[in-house]
Amino acid sequence: MLGSLILLWISFCLLFFLFRTQRPKNFPPGPRPVPVFGNLLQLNLINPINDLQKLAERYGKVFSLYIGSRPAVVVSGVQAMKEALVTRSVEFAGRPQDLMINHITKSKGVILANYGPGWTEHRRFALMTLRNFGLGKHSMEERILGETRHISSCLEKNAGKSMVPHHLFSNATSDIICSVIFGSRYEHEDEVFQALITKIEELTKIANGPWAMLYDTLPLLRSLPLPFRKAFRNYNSMREHVLGIVNQHKTTRIPGQPRDLTDCYLDELEKRGESGSSFDESQMVALLLDLLLAGTDTTSNTLLAAFLYLMTHQDVQKGCQREIDAVLGEKEQASYEDRHRMPYVQAVIHEVQRVADTVPLSVFHATTKDTQLMGYDIPKGTLIIPNLSSVLNEESQWKFPHDFNPENFLNQQGEFVKPEAFMPFSVGPRMCLGEGLARMELFLILVTLLRRFQFVWPEDGGVPDYTPVFGSTQTPKPYRLCVRLRGTQRG
């Protein structure tokens, strides 16, 4: 009798699931989900990008799959991406609110906050404050060049040898954003700083990895002591660290004379008072963490990819150095304005961003109202996965979609051009707010280092492996970098 009841209950659950997962009328097509797991078993949990590409080839540029019992729409290719994120930008500008990363951050800050007045206020505040503290100005150039000198010093010590560059760039990019949001930098050898960098790297790997997929797909697992708990611990640890910095600022700040973004936020809190504003201390800490995370991992991983490709494409590296030497001449150091006279260097940097594919699935979106996309009906609250990787490799958009080749960004006259398919920072109102800083960092760091050093693949380095390690940000597999001084070039 008991066995019959159990079988009846299982059958009821399966029928209920199958009933719930019937696609709505005119919803994008996709593979049939299985009970409980949805389409999870049809994806490679280590790196689902190739599987998503195959599904797009079968079902079209807009297709659906199920994360457990929850429908999601995957958007691939330039045409569909532009319709969703540009033409219908507000309708696709929401954020899903029941994923692991939302639970970690409590959907606060600016990256994962849902679309609305509070998000708009915080994004506007962040952009304005970043500009006030030098974004696009000479003062920000000096911050970046100052950190680049620390990288150069480390490379000089290893000249003629090979080294692991893994933390070399994350130290620099993290210190640059720390100087803007906290008003100070860390020594690269500082144990607290290194622990912070490690936590950031671990969090970004877990956030889009296999355990996050299981967390999002199978809610029953969420309370178990599984590896995804480390992401919560890391975020909470970083939150306590930032909260300590905020408390220090409270005791040392002079109202109306901000030293950094933290002081600016405290001034804003004081100005708004108890007015029911979206600004509060928990939002401040979340915003600071957003900027710290986004400002550290994406640019440092792009730099790692840059030197991997430059070492293994010596003709490209030498082409950059010829242009840098010709343009800078006896000039003491590079400036961001020099990029306008360096079309080849610009092409190489953009090609690195394309092949690095650092944020392959962007940050997931959600629809803010019932809408349409490429002729399909998309209900309000549907989870949207922008497959930026598909755009950066779309065969109809690039001269050499599957190769590292700066010609993708040069016209027949050798002038720099940027195709509309170049979307490494996403597009629309949710595009990365640190794009301007990242562009400046990539140009100044790469030009300064290429002017002074030659980078060579080590003789014992084996066969280069360009396959990235998947996560919310992708990073190259660990490699060794061999560095040589170029002579008397300034830096």
Side-chain angles (χ1 to χ4, degrees), residues 285-328:
V285 173
L287 173 63
L288 293 171
L289 278 168
D290 276 357
L291 293 170
L292 179 61
L293 285 160
T296 296
D297 213 44
T298 51
T299 305
S300 62
N301 285 337
T302 305
L303 286 165
L304 281 172
F307 286 98
L308 170 62
Y309 281 94
L310 288 168
M311 281 193 297
T312 55
H313 295 75
Q314 285 292 315
D315 57 325
V316 174
Q317 184 177 167
K318 289 173 183 174
C320 287
Q321 289 166 333
R322 281 193 298 271
E323 187 173 72
I324 291 166
D325 294 343
V327 170
L328 297 185

Side-chain angles (χ1 to χ4, degrees), residues 9 34 129 142 164 210 244 276 306 317 375 407 444 449-450 466 479:
W9 174 248
V34 300
T129 309
E142 287 302 319
V164 177
Q317 184 177 167
E407 293 293 327
L444 291 174
L449 297 184
L450 286 172
Y466 302 106
Y479 64 82

Side-chain angles (χ1 to χ4, degrees), residues 394-439:
E394 192 167 5
E395 293 187 348
S396 64
Q397 299 295 318
W398 302 98
K399 289 181 276 188
F400 304 96
H402 306 299
D403 300 316
F404 174 73
N405 192 327
E407 293 293 327
N408 280 312
F409 292 90
L410 295 169
N411 63 17
Q412 290 183 336
Q413 289 73 45
E415 298 166 331
F416 172 68
V417 292
K418 187 162 62 176
E420 66 173 357
F422 183 72
M423 300 180 183
F425 299 101
S426 191
V427 287
R430 283 285 190 171
M431 73 183 298
C432 175
L433 60 82
E435 177 186 4
L437 176 59
R439 290 191 189 285

Side-chain angles (χ1 to χ4, degrees), residues 322-341:
R322 281 193 298 271
E323 187 173 72
I324 291 166
D325 294 343
V327 170
L328 297 185
E330 293 299 312
K331 192 176 175 184
E332 184 68 28
Q333 60 187 22
S335 71
Y336 192 44
E337 282 300 305
D338 291 324
R339 73 191 188 280
H340 298 303
R341 296 187 292 151

Side-chain angles (χ1 to χ4, degrees), residues 6-227:
I6 291 172
L7 285 173
L8 184 63
W9 174 248
I10 292 172
S11 300
F12 173 77
C13 288
L14 292 178
L15 286 171
F16 178 71
F17 177 86
L18 291 171
F19 175 76
R20 285 192 64 193
T21 56
Q22 291 297 311
R23 284 180 170 79
K25 184 180 179 182
N26 200 35
F27 196 65
R32 180 179 294 277
V34 300
V36 181
F37 292 95
N39 296 115
L40 184 70
L41 302 179
Q42 294 159 279
L43 300 175
N44 181 335
L45 298 189
I46 303 301
N47 187 340
I49 296 297
N50 288 337
D51 295 324
L52 294 178
Q53 178 63 30
K54 291 174 183 174
L55 289 171
E57 290 169 0
R58 180 175 179 183
Y59 294 104
K61 297 295 187 182
V62 177
F63 67 90
S64 63
L65 49 77
Y66 279 79
I67 299 174
S69 61
R70 179 177 190 163
V73 172
V74 181
V75 182
S76 304
V78 172
Q79 184 183 359
M81 199 74 67
K82 286 182 66 179
E83 182 178 335
L85 304 187
V86 179
T87 306
R88 301 179 183 273
S89 58
V90 172
E91 295 161 32
F92 285 82
R95 290 287 193 230
Q97 297 299 298
D98 192 34
L99 302 178
M100 187 186 83
I101 193 66
N102 304 95
H103 293 168
I104 290 172
T105 64
K106 298 181 172 59
S107 294
K108 291 182 179 290
V110 70
I111 295 176
L112 293 163
N114 209 354
Y115 184 83
W119 170 79
T120 304
E121 280 190 315
H122 275 81
R123 184 177 173 91
R124 186 184 300 120
F125 168 83
L127 286 169
M128 179 185 68
T129 309
L130 286 172
R131 280 196 295 269
N132 290 343
F133 280 95
L135 188 57
K137 301 176 183 176
H138 184 69
S139 57
M140 185 63 78
E141 287 188 19
E142 287 302 319
R143 293 177 197 263
I144 296 168
L145 290 169
E147 284 303 323
T148 308
R149 284 190 278 275
H150 289 282
I151 300 175
S152 292
S153 176
C154 180
L155 292 173
E156 274 187 28
K157 292 174 185 175
N158 288 278
K161 299 180 289 188
S162 68
M163 60 177 290
V164 177
H166 186 62
H167 277 175
L168 188 64
F169 303 117
S170 55
N171 289 342
T173 54
S174 186
D175 257 342
I176 290 165
I177 194 65
C178 281
S179 71
V180 176
I181 62 178
F182 302 139
S184 61
R185 64 178 298 278
Y186 294 87
E187 291 301 322
H188 290 182
E189 298 78 18
D190 186 286
E191 290 184 7
V192 173
F193 182 55
Q194 288 304 317
L196 190 65
I197 296 290
T198 300
K199 287 183 173 69
I200 291 172
E201 291 172 349
E202 291 174 345
L203 177 59
T204 56
K205 286 295 167 286
I206 296 170
N208 259 18
W211 287 107
M213 292 186 196
L214 287 169
Y215 181 100
D216 295 337
T217 303
L218 304 171
L220 289 174
L221 299 179
R222 294 178 180 179
S223 60
L224 299 179
L226 294 170

